[in-house]
Amino acid sequence: MGRLIAWRILQGVVTLFAISLIIFLLTLALPGDAATAVLGQSATPETVAAYRHDVGLDLPAWQRYLAWLWNVLTHFDFGKSYTNQRLIVEDLWPRFKNTLWLAGFATVLSVPLAIITGVTCAITEGRLADRAANIGALVAISMPEFFVGGVLILFLTGKGMWFAPTASVTPEMSLWGRVIATFLPAVAMTCLVCAHMMRMTRNSVLSIMSTPYIEMAFLKGMTRSRVVSRHALPNAASPIISVVALNIAYLVVGVVVVEKVFTYPGVGQYMIDAVSKRDIPVVLACGMLFAAVFIILNTIADVMAIILNPRLRHPR
């Protein structure tokens, strides 16, 4: 099992390296560069050339990528922003904490709700509650986050409401104030992932319900709710844990649109601003951070699945 876990970790490292290269190549395809974005169209050619030399944009692309990669691997240094010459880590870390808060808030809302609803649907298979929950999940999956966010802003913000249309947070803000400020974006993120996790929980539990030992439990006179909670759910835990981990990763990585809709000071908003200004080091840092979180959570899900399911430890 240790060798299999090590192989999964190695795959994650290689994937992270490949993602960094892909992001860098994609930033090269963007029209213009940081010099024109920062200095504007009225800047003289001499000023643009001097700026490009100061930030290293006059070097070949492969040299810039290798220098960036070497600094990251040896010093965990993502460099300086092209636009304000500040260390990227200094601006990225507070925003990453804000993103983690929002993702954690959405996780607290979505995971218990999804698992409880999924198990309830499995217990009441074919009944009104099961059908209503499935219809609601289908509707939630069909609506993108920016649409949900717009609807929430339209109906739940304004004069006399608790919530503001922008999710502004500060380090001095109290816990309750931060909860109120980030409640609407957390709800917008919860709708989609909760529907996915609920459907996976329901389907995983129902797939176990047709096995012989479940039929034996019914023959012993056990109720459906007891069979599901005591026998089916523990054996369906492996795929449920995997989909929960993937959706938590999505909550961290997929906040870009929600942060833009609610003007939330997170990594997603920081990355969008960097793309508009062609700030390649910032885009690389944000992209690598998102990729690392996704790969780490995916690896943890794989390891937990291996631990819970002994059949995965042996190749077929």
Side-chain angles (χ1 to χ4, degrees):
M1 186 175 67
R3 183 179 299 178
L4 185 58
I5 293 174
W7 173 246
R8 295 294 176 89
I9 295 174
L10 179 61
Q11 285 179 323
V13 173
V14 174
T15 303
L16 197 60
F17 167 75
I19 290 173
S20 70
L21 182 58
I22 292 172
I23 294 175
F24 182 78
L25 294 175
L26 290 176
T27 56
L28 295 179
L30 293 173
D33 59 14
T36 56
V38 172
L39 300 177
Q41 299 295 329
S42 60
T44 63
E46 293 78 12
T47 305
V48 172
Y51 182 87
R52 288 175 59 86
H53 178 73
D54 290 340
V55 300
L57 284 172
D58 56 341
L59 296 174
W62 65 269
Q63 289 188 13
R64 283 184 280 142
Y65 175 73
L66 290 180
W68 174 86
L69 184 63
W70 176 256
N71 289 331
V72 172
L73 294 177
T74 56
H75 303 95
F76 199 68
D77 180 15
F78 290 99
K80 294 182 178 180
S81 169
Y82 285 164
T83 56
N84 56 20
Q85 292 299 301
R86 286 172 54 88
L87 288 175
I88 294 174
V89 175
E90 293 180 358
D91 291 333
L92 187 61
W93 176 241
R95 290 176 175 270
F96 183 54
K97 290 193 291 185
N98 289 339
T99 296
L100 288 181
W101 164 269
L102 182 57
F105 191 5
T107 299
V108 171
L109 293 177
S110 60
V111 172
L113 178 62
I115 293 178
I116 293 173
T117 307
V119 172
T120 303
C121 289
I123 294 174
T124 61
E125 181 189 9
R127 300 178 189 173
L128 179 60
D130 180 34
R131 295 178 181 177
N134 277 283
I135 293 173
L138 183 60
V139 172
I141 291 173
S142 303
M143 295 188 298
E145 296 97 321
F146 66 85
F147 176 78
V148 177
V151 171
L152 293 175
I153 291 174
L154 180 62
F155 290 102
L156 296 180
T157 63
K159 189 175 181 180
M161 297 290 186
W162 277 16
F163 308 107
T166 58
S168 300
V169 295
T170 60
E172 299 80 15
M173 189 176 276
S174 65
L175 177 61
W176 178 247
R178 186 176 286 263
V179 168
I180 294 297
T182 56
F183 181 76
L184 292 186
V187 170
M189 296 171 61
T190 296
C191 289
L192 181 61
V193 297
C194 183
H196 279 293
M197 290 187 289
M198 186 277 288
R199 288 170 65 90
M200 177 58 72
T201 301
R202 176 186 180 277
N203 295 336
S204 298
V205 172
L206 290 179
S207 66
I208 302 294
M209 297 296 288
S210 60
T211 54
Y213 71 91
I214 295 294
E215 295 177 0
M216 179 61 69
F218 279 120
L219 292 175
K220 291 181 178 179
M222 298 179 65
T223 62
R224 185 176 178 86
S225 59
R226 185 175 177 84
V227 170
V228 169
S229 60
R230 294 291 300 274
H231 297 283
L233 184 60
N235 288 281
S238 179
I240 294 174
I241 289 174
S242 297
V243 75
V244 166
L246 289 175
N247 279 277
I248 292 175
Y250 176 78
L251 288 174
V252 178
V253 177
V255 297
V256 177
V257 175
V258 173
E259 288 184 357
K260 185 64 176 179
V261 170
F262 290 93
T263 321
Y264 183 72
V267 179
Q269 179 75 15
Y270 189 39
M271 187 175 185
I272 291 175
D273 294 339
V275 171
S276 64
K277 298 174 182 176
R278 308 299 186 265
D279 200 338
I280 296 177
V282 175
V283 176
L284 279 170
C286 295
M288 290 295 291
L289 186 61
F290 281 144
V293 170
F294 191 88
I295 290 172
I296 289 172
L297 290 176
N298 193 18
T299 303
I300 291 174
D302 289 341
V303 171
M304 294 185 68
I306 292 170
I307 294 174
L308 292 173
N309 192 349
R311 291 176 296 179
L312 298 177
R313 303 175 192 174
H314 307 285
R316 291 181 177 85

